[in-house]
Amino acid sequence: GVKDGRWTVLQLVEALGFSLENTDARTRGRGIQLLSQVLLQCYFLLQEKEVLHLVLFYESRLQDHHLVIPSVLQGLRALSMCEVLSPGLAVSVLKAIFQEVHVQSLLQLDRHTVYSIITNFMSTREEELKGLGADFTFGFIQVMDGEKDPRNLLVAFQIVRDLITKNYALGPFVEELFEVTSCYFPVDFTPPPNDPHGIQREDLILSLRAVLASTPQFAEFLLPLLIEKLDSELQSAKLDSLQTLTACCAIYGQKELQEFLPSLWSSLRREVFQTASEKIETECLAALHALSACLSRSVLSSDAEDLLDSFLGSILQDCRHHLCEPDMKLVWPSAKLLQAAAGASLRTYHCISRSVLPLLLEQYTKHPQSSQRRTILEMLLGFLKLQEKWGHVEEDESTLLSLQAPVCSVVFSALTDSSVQLQLVGIKALTVLGSLQGFLSSSDLELVVDHLIRLTLHEEDSQSSEAAMAAAGSLAPIYPKVFSGHMVPRLAEELQSEREEESSQDRCSLKQRCLQALAAVSTHTSIVRETVPVLLQHLQKVQKGSEARNIQDMVSVCQSLHHVALQCQQDAEGCWYFHQTVVPCLLAMAVQAAMQESTHLLLGKTLLEEEVLTAMIPVISAATTHLSPELAAQSVSHVVSLFLDGEVSFLPQNNFPCSFQPFGDGECLDAQRRLVALLMAFVCSLPRNVAIPQQEWLLRELLALSCSCNCPFTATTAAKCFAGLVNKHPAGQQLDEILQLAVNRMEPSLVDGPRRMQALTLLLWVTKALVLRYHPLSSCLTDKLLGLLGDTELGPAVADGFSLLMAESPDVLHKGCHADVRIMFRQRFFTDNVPKLVQGFHGAGPDVKANYLKGLSHVLNHLPKPVLVTELPTLLPLLLEALSCSDRVVQLSTLSCLQPLLLEAPQIMSLHVDTLVTKFLSLTSSPTMAVRIAALRCAHALTCLPTPVLLPYKARVIRALAKPLDDKKRLVRKEAVAARGEWFLLGSPGR
């Protein structure tokens, strides 16, 4: 009635008069409870005068019997949310609560109600409450004192934080407010099992820390408490104290810290020097960093003592001498402490580096052993990285600039040392020095390039060679002229040189490194313009050879070009240069080779090998995916015209001996048809908003080629290209027509004839293209595949095809090439088709059952594990049956599916432990190494099941795992050792 406006609240009060004035406390309580429940639902309808009368009524009831108080508080909570509350009433209510209610004697819910009333008033009546002065703070302290419930504490901590951050008067009660909150530090709370409130220990820790670190006024009380807890034995207390100290440093100044700095430093130093906990060490270093930053920020008066200098002096005094003992255990803790302080500000960096850098350089010279030098150089590297953090500094301020010559000398000497580990640290240091603006002179840079070339090409250890290439890639964008003018020409010269004294293997290895280095250094457009012609020139040179190793050489060049293409993708200018230079050149070389093959010339035949064409695909794809739509449209018109019309005018060196007709008839054109792989790489990588000219004609030609070509490679690439275009094709009549045409071509070929495998390949790729985009026809095509699992000839290939449907494809139909891939397509495929697979398995003959198991294991293997766990009870019997299948692919796929499930669903797997143990142990003797390894990993994963379930099998498993310890393959022996060790420990104390 009150909600509808038929009754006023005052009429309700009058109607409740008998209950509200009754002499029986329980009856009064029920009356007030009903009134409060109405107010909680209707408080926003009240008029100002009604609120005034109700507040006065409820205040008077705070002196009533304790049974009535909870309902009174609920009413006051409702009134505290009223916007029409008259000025002064909020203060009146709180004074009455502070005076009349002993809050901590109430139940948890009623105490929470009091905190809610205070919170409501603080958010809407802030100025009125501040008028109470420190009395409000004192009243709240009384309310909160002794609170134990975590739900209430979260609210109470927030109120204290608001008191401080919103500048309520604390008056003489700062220490009392600190005491009433700090008594919970450090938080010791473990939530009960199945706690419906979801409050975690971390929630309380963060909430309390926000209070303790909210005001410098707490410093004199908090810092002694933190030091005391730091000196305790409890690790959680140490961590909490360190994190709180770090938080406090954000608002403290020198005045708050001054008295406690010696004790704080002593505790931090002790913990870093003595702790075995990495977490505590990390937090100590963070706290020291925060302390140093805090002291750096403080503004000093002219006569004040500079605490930062004396603080850093203490750190240097206690740590510096340990740097002279690179073999002793305190060298790294000392270095970390110094670096933590040095990283706090530019001022701390100068102060510490001024003392430490000359010492480290001196120690490097004094200690001749590579291991000692490595330790010293790693410490030096830490300080160099800090200089990098502060960027370019003036010469008169920088200690590092004054030490330029000895620093370079030390780093260069490390690069020529025989120790690989020292070289690797030297390369890291070189990279950091190169990133410091103005540090390396032009002569130093030439020396840097010399060292990088030597390490890249001639260092025996591949680690140093790869690290040098990575360093060159990092430094090249900073010094593009130096690298394009010095490094690229020398690499090109090495690539072209033919030294008689070198063995064929050495020359091949050197060229391989040259190619990798040219790619690694191509991290700036101006350098790309130098390296790409060198790589293409070398590819053309290799193409003219006819040796078998030329295939590997050409693949290596393509891999380097692919690396360059990936590095160009984020730079529009570099991406377009690479595309318009490399793509036409690769197409021209491939067309030239295909023409020569068609006219029976042997020159350049290597380029048509499947391995080489496969290596060219990612180059063209990576060069195309990041093109702008305008440039992509310009390029696509040329490439499509090349394949459909034989238009070669855009290709370099286009004087070919005959016409290019990859979709023409005749056996002499087989070589040209192989180049459809390059067409696929290009058109399937275009952005979806780029229109492909003559697309319908192109799709028909690809469809015909995929169904009629005798070459499996050509037929497969034509099918993939067709599928890639269909996946991106806009929905509508044209797509429906081309799909119907494809189905009409596939169906007769699948039934009978010599091209059943080509038709199946096309069916698989088209199905995948449609499954990814949720096309309605996908379910019809999937049903065709399910039907073919029962075919004795095609069934095994169809089963393997389910892996193709579910897996990420490397060259087409993935998000990187802008394919239409819907989220959760795997889950949808699973839901729609796994029941059909299971049904097919139960109805299949014994000769084709394995096909259904293989298909099922492929689907499950690519499914997100949380989805699989929910379906596990129904699928596990089938998976266990799959382990008995003689097909090693089925075995391997099923084992790799079961291993993570043992970790994620131990309770369900425990029900089948007997079968699992028997199957896994049996497969550890498989003739296939990969199956033996997978079975041993599963036997290892079994130890994650509940120990009581496994103990009856312990002796049997340990006995059975003794045999693979003598396996002839090292990888099998390694897995056997790990698995058997875990089974030995099963049931041990502390496990």
Side-chain angles (χ1 to χ4, degrees), residues 809-958:
S809 174
D811 42 13
V812 293
L813 296 176
H814 60 87
K815 286 186 177 179
C817 64
H818 311 289
D820 186 355
V821 181
R822 304 298 174 89
I823 60 169
M824 298 175 72
F825 78 88
R826 291 184 178 89
Q827 288 90 318
R828 180 168 174 167
F829 187 87
F830 169 85
T831 306
D832 291 347
N833 298 294
V834 164
K836 297 175 186 176
L837 272 169
V838 174
Q839 185 182 355
F841 168 79
H842 289 305
D847 54 336
V848 293
K849 272 186 180 289
N851 297 339
Y852 289 90
L853 287 175
K854 188 191 288 190
L856 177 66
S857 63
H858 283 314
V859 173
L860 299 183
N861 232 344
H862 291 94
L863 199 66
K865 291 300 173 278
V867 180
L868 186 51
V869 167
T870 59
E871 301 292 333
L872 195 54
T874 54
L875 293 173
L876 192 53
L878 266 181
L879 288 172
L880 295 175
E881 193 164 340
L883 290 178
S884 303
C885 179
S886 57
D887 189 314
R888 65 180 181 82
V889 176
V890 176
Q891 292 173 347
L892 195 57
S893 184
T894 308
L895 288 168
S896 60
C897 183
L898 285 171
Q899 186 193 345
L901 293 175
L902 290 164
L903 309 176
E904 294 176 33
Q907 298 304 324
I908 300 170
M909 302 298 274
S910 297
L911 302 174
H912 300 268
V913 65
D914 191 68
T915 311
L916 289 168
V917 168
T918 304
K919 300 279 188 189
F920 293 159
L921 294 182
S922 168
L923 289 172
T924 58
S925 304
S926 165
T928 307
M929 182 182 84
V931 173
R932 297 200 300 278
I933 289 173
L936 286 165
R937 285 177 178 163
C938 285
H940 189 165
L942 273 174
T943 58
C944 296
L945 302 187
T947 302
V949 175
L950 296 176
L951 283 175
Y953 303 93
K954 181 175 177 179
R956 174 185 163 192
V957 173
I958 290 172

Side-chain angles (χ1 to χ4, degrees), residues 976-989:
V977 168
R980 199 162 185 257
E982 281 299 313
W983 276 91
F984 263 118
L985 293 172
L986 198 69
S988 303

Side-chain angles (χ1 to χ4, degrees), residues 165-218:
T165 56
K166 293 181 179 177
N167 297 316
Y168 282 79
L170 304 185
F173 305 115
V174 173
E175 186 172 0
E176 284 78 0
L177 189 61
F178 173 77
E179 290 295 338
V180 85
T181 50
S182 65
C183 62
Y184 303 100
F185 183 87
V187 171
D188 181 20
F189 169 68
T190 305
N194 306 317
D195 179 20
H197 308 291
I199 295 174
Q200 299 297 316
R201 178 170 174 268
E202 192 66 18
D203 300 328
L204 289 166
I205 287 173
L206 294 175
S207 188
L208 176 57
R209 186 177 300 151
V211 172
L212 298 178
S214 61
T215 173
Q217 293 181 74
F218 283 168

Side-chain angles (χ1 to χ4, degrees), residues 660-892:
F660 183 60
Q661 300 173 301
F663 295 117
D665 297 324
E667 286 187 21
C668 63
L669 298 175
D670 281 350
Q672 295 187 18
R673 293 189 189 104
R674 293 173 74 80
L675 303 194
V676 169
L678 305 185
L679 171 68
M680 175 197 75
F682 178 80
V683 294
C684 292
S685 301
L686 290 166
R688 264 187 269 172
N689 57 354
V690 175
I692 297 173
Q694 308 177 84
Q695 185 170 7
E696 307 313 312
W697 179 17
L698 180 60
L699 282 166
R700 290 170 188 272
E701 294 287 9
L702 289 166
L703 178 60
L705 186 61
S706 66
C707 292
S708 60
C709 183
N710 293 320
C711 170
F713 174 74
T714 303
T716 301
T717 50
K720 288 162 77 172
C721 189
F722 179 83
L725 292 175
V726 160
N727 174 264
K728 296 181 190 178
H729 198 295
Q733 186 182 351
Q734 284 185 324
L735 178 60
D736 295 342
E737 287 175 2
I738 199 72
L739 287 173
Q740 191 57 52
L741 184 64
V743 171
N744 294 342
R745 288 293 294 264
M746 285 186 285
E747 281 185 334
S749 301
L750 285 167
V751 174
D752 196 19
R755 304 197 193 281
R756 295 188 79 198
M757 193 54 76
Q758 279 104 314
L760 174 60
T761 302
L762 178 62
L763 175 60
L764 284 167
W765 281 104
V766 173
T767 304
K768 182 177 178 73
L770 299 182
V771 164
L772 292 179
R773 64 179 280 178
Y774 291 176
H775 191 279
L777 186 61
S778 63
S779 58
C780 174
L781 298 185
T782 308
D783 288 343
K784 286 186 190 300
L785 289 171
L786 290 166
L788 287 168
L789 284 170
D791 187 293
T792 50
E793 183 189 346
L794 290 181
V798 175
D800 285 331
F802 278 89
S803 176
L804 183 151
L805 294 178
M806 299 294 282
E808 185 88 359
S809 174
D811 42 13
V812 293
L813 296 176
H814 60 87
K815 286 186 177 179
C817 64
H818 311 289
D820 186 355
V821 181
R822 304 298 174 89
I823 60 169
M824 298 175 72
F825 78 88
R826 291 184 178 89
Q827 288 90 318
R828 180 168 174 167
F829 187 87
F830 169 85
T831 306
D832 291 347
N833 298 294
V834 164
K836 297 175 186 176
L837 272 169
V838 174
Q839 185 182 355
F841 168 79
H842 289 305
D847 54 336
V848 293
K849 272 186 180 289
N851 297 339
Y852 289 90
L853 287 175
K854 188 191 288 190
L856 177 66
S857 63
H858 283 314
V859 173
L860 299 183
N861 232 344
H862 291 94
L863 199 66
K865 291 300 173 278
V867 180
L868 186 51
V869 167
T870 59
E871 301 292 333
L872 195 54
T874 54
L875 293 173
L876 192 53
L878 266 181
L879 288 172
L880 295 175
E881 193 164 340
L883 290 178
S884 303
C885 179
S886 57
D887 189 314
R888 65 180 181 82
V889 176
V890 176
Q891 292 173 347
L892 195 57

